[in-house]
Amino acid sequence: MPARRPGGHLSATSVIVVSRKLNLPRDRQGAEVAETAVTEVLAELAALEDPKVRAVNEKHGDDHGVNLGKLRAIAKQLKTQQELARELWATGDSAARLLATLICRPKAFERDELDAMLREARTPKVQDWLVNYVVKKSPHAEELRLAWFADPDPVVAAAGWALTTERVAKKPAGLDLAGLLDIIEAEMKDAAPRLQWAMNSCLAQIGIDHAEHRARALDIGERLEVLKDYPTPPNCTSPYAPIWINEMVRRRG
């Protein structure tokens, strides 16, 4: 049997060893291995639970106590395992879902599957990692961007704006940047917090990357004053759009 860590939990490396040693029929092997690995990975995540980490996370709306550096280390050991990722996501456990976004194969998810995953994701960190590590790499990203952009659920709409910000930065051709600024100007001030954050990020990205719209982006930010008083740690850039835009433009010279 694989060596166990103190406390009786298998290491992530041992999970892989256990899975590989199972002697299963070929047509059932994938499902059986995933089921076994899920049990052991959940035990590993439970062993990493830290009350102090949980207390900090809960202040931001998250409901797990696993250090993200340690979670990434498990992901690095497990590598890409799509079926295991699906099984971990299905548990509903936030730490397991975060791990799933790191070991999955983004292009393997169907469009409707990703839509359902976003709508059932309950916490900000899971939502963010799902969008950034999975949806942005999916062939369905643009279709989902358009579907989510004006969704009545502000969390879903925030994901649409996050994907729009990605396009502003990397593939702006075809986007109506002036139209986006119109929407931001009219709606950002009173938007729900997560949607407001996503719209503000888009505002800043437009101002940073597109000089022809920079003056208007700065003006909108200055008049709306969204996140103007956001507490910002030393050596970090404020999310207040005028400061953010000016600082990034300065760095680019």
Side-chain angles (χ1 to χ4, degrees):
M1 289 294 291
R4 292 182 178 269
R5 290 185 177 182
H9 296 290
L10 288 172
S11 70
T13 302
S14 298
V15 169
I16 301 173
V17 173
V18 168
S19 299
R20 287 176 177 172
K21 284 189 175 181
L22 289 176
N23 183 19
L24 301 169
R26 184 177 298 274
D27 60 346
R28 296 180 58 212
Q29 186 170 356
E32 295 286 357
V33 168
E35 182 178 348
T36 301
V38 166
T39 301
E40 304 298 348
V41 172
L42 289 177
E44 179 72 6
L45 292 173
L48 294 175
E49 176 75 17
D50 184 331
K52 293 181 179 179
V53 173
R54 176 176 285 274
V56 171
N57 287 339
E58 287 179 344
K59 292 180 181 179
H60 302 286
D62 293 310
D63 61 356
H64 72 90
V66 179
N67 177 281
L68 295 182
K70 294 179 180 179
L71 187 143
R72 289 181 185 277
I74 293 177
K76 187 175 181 180
Q77 292 176 312
L78 290 173
K79 300 182 181 180
T80 301
Q81 297 194 47
Q82 177 65 12
E83 197 57 41
L84 175 57
R86 279 197 168 100
E87 295 287 340
L88 288 170
W89 184 273
T91 67
D93 177 81
S94 288
R97 285 183 164 180
L98 290 173
L99 182 58
T101 68
L102 297 178
I103 67 170
C104 73
R105 188 175 294 106
K107 294 181 180 180
F109 291 107
E110 298 296 332
R111 181 257 189 222
D112 289 346
E113 188 175 11
L114 291 171
D115 181 75
M117 289 168 72
L118 177 68
R119 294 177 188 279
E120 70 186 20
R122 302 185 314 276
T123 63
K125 185 64 71 176
V126 173
Q127 293 156 358
D128 287 344
W129 281 26
L130 177 65
V131 172
N132 288 309
Y133 298 151
V134 184
V135 179
K136 286 182 179 180
K137 300 176 182 179
S138 165
H140 308 294
E142 180 62 11
E143 185 181 354
L144 289 169
R145 182 186 78 83
L146 295 171
W148 291 343
F149 186 78
D151 195 277
D153 183 334
V155 171
V156 176
W161 277 91
L163 294 174
T164 300
T165 301
E166 179 85 350
R167 271 206 60 186
V168 168
K170 297 182 178 180
K171 296 180 180 179
L175 286 179
D176 179 4
L177 299 180
L180 290 173
L181 291 176
D182 289 342
I183 297 172
I184 292 168
E185 186 172 22
E187 301 179 11
M188 182 173 72
K189 182 74 172 180
D190 298 318
R194 284 184 62 74
L195 178 55
Q196 184 185 70
W197 185 277
M199 295 175 80
N200 182 73
S201 296
C202 190
L203 172 65
Q205 200 68 55
I206 292 172
I208 292 165
D209 289 338
H210 301 277
E212 69 275 23
H213 296 286
R214 187 170 298 147
R216 186 182 177 201
L218 288 167
D219 178 66
I220 291 171
E222 289 168 357
R223 284 188 291 104
L224 298 186
E225 297 187 332
V226 168
L227 301 177
K228 183 176 183 179
D229 299 320
Y230 190 84
T232 305
N235 301 318
C236 292
T237 301
S238 170
Y240 176 49
I243 293 177
W244 188 357
I245 292 168
N246 286 325
E247 175 60 18
M248 295 307 296
V249 171
R250 183 193 67 79
R251 292 183 189 181
R252 293 181 180 184

